[in-house]
Amino acid sequence: MLSRSSFTSLVVGVFAVYVAHTCWVMYGIVCTRPCPAPGPAKEERAGGAAGCVWPYLARRPKLQLSVYTTTRSNIGAENNIDLILNVEDFDIESRFERTVNVSVPKKTRNNGTLYAYIFLHHAGILPWHDGKQVHIVSPLTTYMVPKAEEVNLITGESTTQQIEAEKKQTNALDEPVSHWRSRLTLNVMVEDFVFDGSSLPADVHRYMKMVQLGKTVHYLPILFIDQLSNRVKDLMIINRSTTELPLTVSYDKISLGKLRFWIHMQDAVFSLQQFGFSEKDADEVKGIFVDTNLYFLALTFFVAAFHLLFDFLAFKNDISFWKKKKSMTGMSTKAVLWRCFSTVVIFLFLLDEQTSLLVLIPAGVGAVIELWKVKKALKMTVIWRGMRSTIQFGAYNESEKRTEEYDTQAMKYLSYLLYPLCIGGAAYSLLNVKYKSWYSWLINSFVNGVYAFGFLFMLPQLFVNYKMKSVAHLPWKAFTYKAFNTFIDDIFAFIITMPTSHRLACFRDDVVFLVYLYQRCVGLKNSSTWPRGS
């Protein structure tokens, strides 16, 4: 069996290897090895033996960009298609953005799909007659469950009407409806990069179309659709009365390194959707890549990797501490109960807000752990007698009873302040804020109390520490790892989309940890040895 220190060293070693491997893979994506041939003319004289693939754009052809729409996923000629954008004398170096109105066919209005066909071809020649044209297809519609409408529960409609409205909306809201993608972002790889024909990158290869010109092989312009730019905030519900919708077509050039990186990121988002992530969940991941520059994105990767490591180490040490915990001496039972209640309420709130799974899953795991801690703190034992179960609570010793007295004393005065504030806040929000349902108002009222005044429920533990003149009973290793993650959460609060109150709570936790840290420093000054609980 591995010792705890050996196991932790093993985990840190695996983490280091993972980070190094990821950096090596990213370097291979961004820095592609070119073909060592001297030039296309010399290669043609040599009979094309070098096996290089040359860029057709190096010939500087005169190009034209055409965008068509159709309800069919495959087209063979110019039948039943509509031309929505035509850019003559298309300059691949110049970016542009144009908004066009697109006619919505009846089939699309009835939850059908509308496709965009983007052609890059020689100027003055129709795409169907150009043997060197490249094209790509993208759906302009997607399916998603619409967001529930929020109403004022007091002044909007009566309780009976609200319940009836909710029943009517349930079936409709459970079914996804067709939404319009109002943005179409196009890219062309503009580097005159010469590929090695024997080792073409698999990610780019599927976007390449090659032609034989003399004795050399050329690849036609690489046309790419940036799907990461399709955000949920840009989606529009398609009604049956809708006959025309706006579409913003934007174009910008792209380098080979960024193109390969973007292809891998799009594949990763698609894999998440295959594993059950909804459009909204995938949109949170897209936001990390689209709304940040590449340098900040690299920083985010390293920060997320360390967050994962500290999460695991905090989880391991916290579980180990509570698993061995036999006495609640010096531990505030009220703080444990409140932390459990807070974690469960926050999880239900995030679930009601349809928050990203990146935030929801860790919150759910944390709620389960806190419930287990309550069982340990109250010394609960479940005894089964046939099909019936009985819950028994263990007895406290004298030291635990003294701790409980300090705990109760702190909570008594704290409740005089907290309860009126929470009740007043809930009444105010009921009168002035709109909610989807009474359940939504109840959860929001609880969670607002947790976020606004939840840190005050840490005061009983601070009071117990002060009365006991010791902090050795606290799980300091787990606290330290959680503190690192708290500071990392401060960074993620500006990157991942989450409710504002949840974002502010990340900064609130910093203050709580600093107070605990101060108590530990004072305790170390009064002790010649390191606390046994560390």
Side-chain angles (χ1 to χ4, degrees):
M1 294 291 291
L2 287 173
S3 65
R4 292 175 188 170
S5 59
S6 299
F7 180 73
T8 302
S9 301
L10 177 62
V11 170
V12 173
V14 171
F15 170 77
V17 171
Y18 165 75
V19 172
H21 172 72
T22 304
C23 292
W24 176 253
V25 171
M26 294 301 296
Y27 175 79
I29 291 174
V30 176
C31 301
T32 308
R33 185 171 61 86
C35 186
K42 293 183 179 180
E43 182 179 346
E44 187 169 352
R45 288 195 296 270
C52 296
V53 183
W54 301 89
Y56 185 74
L57 285 177
R59 294 171 171 254
R60 303 295 181 260
K62 190 176 182 181
L63 300 174
Q64 181 175 335
L65 180 71
S66 302
V67 182
Y68 297 85
T69 59
T70 179
T71 56
R72 296 179 296 172
S73 58
N74 293 299
I75 57 174
E78 47 184 330
N79 297 325
N80 299 322
I81 60 173
D82 295 320
L83 177 65
I84 62 171
L85 180 64
N86 185 32
V87 182
E88 298 180 354
D89 296 328
F90 176 62
D91 182 9
I92 61 173
E93 297 288 342
S94 302
R95 61 181 302 177
F96 70 82
E97 182 172 292
R98 299 183 187 179
T99 301
V100 296
N101 291 323
V102 180
S103 298
V104 183
K106 184 178 180 181
K107 182 179 178 181
T108 304
R109 296 198 298 267
N110 294 328
N111 268 7
T113 303
L114 188 67
Y115 298 93
Y117 277 77
I118 302 95
F119 289 90
L120 189 59
H121 54 96
H122 287 90
I125 305 176
L126 289 174
W128 344 101
H129 304 148
D130 186 4
K132 295 184 179 63
Q133 58 84 14
V134 292
H135 71 274
I136 196 166
V137 186
S138 176
L140 295 177
T141 56
T142 186
Y143 296 95
M144 194 174 68
V145 177
K147 185 179 179 181
E149 184 180 358
E150 296 178 343
V151 296
N152 189 302
L153 299 177
I154 298 297
T155 61
E157 36 185 9
S158 66
T159 304
T160 305
Q161 291 174 327
Q162 176 67 17
I163 292 173
E164 291 176 355
E166 287 175 3
K167 289 181 179 178
K168 291 179 181 178
Q169 287 182 349
T170 299
N171 292 334
L173 292 176
D174 285 342
E175 296 178 2
V177 298
S178 186
H179 285 66
W180 177 257
R181 299 184 188 271
S182 60
R183 296 193 65 86
L184 181 64
T185 305
L186 309 175
N187 300 113
V188 173
M189 201 280 287
V190 296
E191 288 186 29
D192 291 338
F193 190 85
V194 182
F195 288 96
D196 187 349
S198 61
S199 58
L200 283 174
D203 43 26
V204 181
H205 192 194
R206 66 177 188 262
Y207 289 91
M208 296 175 66
K209 180 180 178 182
M210 286 168 280
V211 294
Q212 185 84 26
L213 298 178
K215 294 183 179 180
T216 59
V217 179
H218 289 70
Y219 64 92
L220 297 176
I222 299 177
L223 183 61
F224 177 73
I225 295 181
D226 184 4
Q227 300 288 1
L228 296 179
S229 297
N230 291 330
R231 305 297 304 280
V232 169
K233 63 183 179 182
D234 298 322
L235 295 179
M236 305 166 60
I237 296 180
I238 301 177
N239 300 317
R240 296 197 175 187
S241 59
T242 305
T243 57
E244 220 174 48
L245 286 170
L247 176 66
T248 301
V249 182
S250 57
Y251 165 79
D252 197 5
K253 62 183 180 180
I254 191 171
S255 63
L256 176 60
K258 186 176 180 180
L259 173 66
R260 295 191 62 192
F261 179 76
W262 239 232
I263 291 173
H264 280 272
M265 293 307 103
Q266 287 192 173
D267 290 345
V269 172
F270 178 76
S271 298
L272 291 177
Q273 291 176 312
Q274 295 296 107
F275 280 113
F277 275 55
S278 66
E279 183 85 19
K280 188 176 185 301
D281 296 324
D283 185 72
E284 304 296 341
V285 181
K286 291 180 182 179
I288 296 176
F289 300 116
V290 176
D291 297 338
T292 56
N293 59 55
L294 290 179
Y295 296 104
F296 193 64
L297 189 61
L299 175 64
T300 302
F301 162 74
F302 285 106
V303 167
F306 280 102
H307 193 288
L308 182 64
L309 175 64
F310 292 141
D311 261 338
F312 174 80
L313 294 176
F315 172 80
K316 168 186 169 293
N317 284 278
D318 202 24
I319 293 297
S320 177
F321 173 84
W322 281 94
K323 190 175 181 181
K324 297 184 297 182
K325 194 72 175 173
K326 303 299 181 183
S327 172
M328 286 299 292
T329 301
M331 297 290 292
S332 171
T333 305
K334 301 292 191 304
V336 176
L337 288 170
W338 170 251
R339 194 181 301 114
C340 176
F341 173 77
S342 302
T343 309
V344 172
V345 166
I346 290 172
F347 172 72
L348 294 175
F349 168 69
L350 296 175
L351 189 64
D352 184 64
E353 289 289 318
Q354 298 180 342
T355 307
S356 167
L357 289 178
L358 299 175
V359 178
L360 189 61
I361 292 177
V365 174
V368 174
I369 294 174
E370 293 301 329
L371 288 169
W372 173 72
K373 289 181 185 178
V374 168
K375 176 179 176 295
K376 294 284 291 185
L378 298 180
K379 300 183 178 181
M380 296 171 55
T381 305
V382 180
I383 300 175
W384 290 91
R385 294 185 176 92
M387 298 298 294
R388 298 179 61 183
S389 62
T390 305
I391 299 178
Q392 292 184 353
F393 296 90
Y396 287 166
N397 57 35
E398 289 300 322
S399 181
E400 290 174 318
K401 288 179 180 179
R402 191 171 72 255
T403 301
E404 189 66 21
E405 289 176 4
Y406 297 147
D407 199 12
T408 304
Q409 184 181 354
M411 283 298 302
K412 177 182 177 181
Y413 298 108
L414 197 59
S415 62
Y416 295 155
L417 173 66
L418 284 181
Y419 295 159
L421 288 175
C422 291
I423 295 173
Y428 175 83
S429 63
L430 181 62
L431 294 173
N432 297 280
V433 182
K434 293 182 179 181
Y435 295 100
K436 294 178 289 186
S437 63
W438 287 99
Y439 170 77
S440 181
W441 166 76
L442 183 65
I443 289 297
N444 274 268
S445 299
F446 278 133
V447 85
N448 286 335
V450 168
Y451 283 142
F453 315 114
F455 72 101
L456 296 178
F457 276 90
M458 295 291 100
L459 296 182
Q461 181 63 64
L462 299 177
F463 185 74
V464 170
N465 295 345
Y466 170 74
K467 286 291 188 179
M468 301 289 290
K469 305 298 181 184
S470 173
V471 292
H473 43 267
L474 297 177
W476 279 104
K477 278 191 176 181
F479 268 21
T480 303
Y481 293 129
K482 286 181 179 179
F484 285 130
N485 268 352
T486 297
F487 297 125
I488 291 174
D489 286 337
D490 296 344
I491 300 174
F492 271 103
F494 296 101
I495 299 175
I496 297 178
T497 302
M498 61 180 68
T500 304
S501 52
H502 191 72
R503 182 175 284 124
L504 293 176
C506 295
F507 299 99
R508 178 207 71 191
D509 294 340
D510 297 342
V511 179
V512 175
F513 174 74
L514 291 175
V515 176
Y516 277 122
L517 193 61
Y518 170 76
Q519 285 191 331
R520 177 172 181 121
C521 292
V522 173
L524 287 176
K525 288 180 180 179
N526 299 326
S527 175
S528 59
T529 59
W530 192 266
R532 290 176 297 169
S534 64

